[in-house]
Amino acid sequence: MACTCGPAPWSWPSTSGRTGEVCPIGAGVSLPGVLAAKCGAKVTLSDSEELPQCLQNCRRSCLLNHLPHIPVIGLTWGQLSPELLALAPVDIILGSDVFFDPKDFEDILTTIYFLLEKNPQAQFWTTYQVRSADWSIEALLCKWKLKSTHIPLHSFGADKEHLASSSLPGRHTIEMMIISLAQPGGT
């Protein structure tokens, strides 16, 4: 479960007036979650409970960014756990480059579906690098009664070859989408 550092459009929720409860999944080094917290969101970071080093990296990133109060919890995609059941209500779920391995796609969307059923007005905001034209989540979105809305990178100035004085995203194709329940209020 990884987090990339570009593009990270997670400041967009604050500029669009959305600074509620945010839960990044697969937080990795925590950049999107830390940025959301710095923009005023109440954040809970999560990464795989099977990867304690990732959880430690989240905690370290919070401390280095003067955010020691941010909770860090272990959530493993596709697994129903006490931590997932106890998660406070969320408005936005963040996932930066979580769709990097097709074997994980259904587990990710299973977890997202559970969170959206629990929080019907919430949205899953995700960016991902297109790694293969053959990989798609469309059938899984239908299976889990989810819909996606493509967000053009130019709508928030992230359609450049180099962002924030870095070489990211370079010539890679990066996409952003917002996933929500196909029918608000559940199935």
Side-chain angles (χ1 to χ4, degrees):
M1 297 180 187
C3 166
T4 62
C5 54
W10 313 120
S11 61
W12 192 44
S14 67
T15 61
S16 65
R18 298 187 71 143
T19 56
E21 307 285 330
V22 176
C23 180
I25 63 165
V29 295
S30 309
L31 178 63
V34 165
L35 182 58
K38 292 283 189 178
C39 290
K42 183 177 177 190
V43 173
T44 299
L45 296 174
S46 70
D47 210 312
S48 175
E49 63 188 344
E50 298 168 359
L51 300 171
Q53 186 61 41
C54 286
L55 296 171
Q56 186 58 37
N57 288 341
C58 289
R59 290 182 189 96
R60 189 175 305 120
S61 184
C62 290
L63 290 174
L64 290 171
N65 285 283
H66 310 289
L67 298 166
H69 62 281
I70 294 180
V72 177
I73 61 172
L75 294 180
T76 300
W77 298 331
Q79 294 183 13
L80 198 58
S81 66
E83 291 80 7
L84 182 61
L85 293 172
L87 188 64
V90 296
D91 298 311
I92 298 174
I93 306 155
L94 300 178
S96 182
D97 201 26
V98 293
F99 292 108
F100 59 85
D101 189 341
K103 73 174 179 51
D104 294 325
F105 291 2
E106 184 152 25
D107 286 343
I108 295 165
L109 290 175
T110 300
T111 302
I112 296 305
Y113 177 78
F114 176 83
L115 290 170
L116 293 176
E117 277 285 306
K118 189 175 171 183
N119 304 275
Q121 300 308 313
Q123 298 175 325
F124 174 46
W125 295 32
T126 185
T127 56
Y128 61 95
Q129 176 184 333
V130 176
R131 291 176 170 86
S132 172
D134 296 330
W135 296 356
S136 175
I137 62 169
E138 291 303 316
L140 293 171
L141 290 173
C142 289
K143 176 181 177 178
W144 288 101
K145 299 180 178 85
L146 300 170
K147 66 178 179 180
S148 69
T149 303
H150 179 261
I151 306 298
L153 297 183
H154 68 81
S155 69
F156 54 94
D159 58 339
K160 314 286 186 273
E161 190 172 316
H162 300 284
L163 294 174
S165 300
S166 80
S167 61
L168 296 171
R171 297 193 183 272
H172 298 286
T173 301
I174 306 294
E175 299 288 343
M176 179 178 178
M177 68 178 142
I178 296 175
I179 295 175
S180 58
L181 293 173
Q183 303 210 351
T187 53

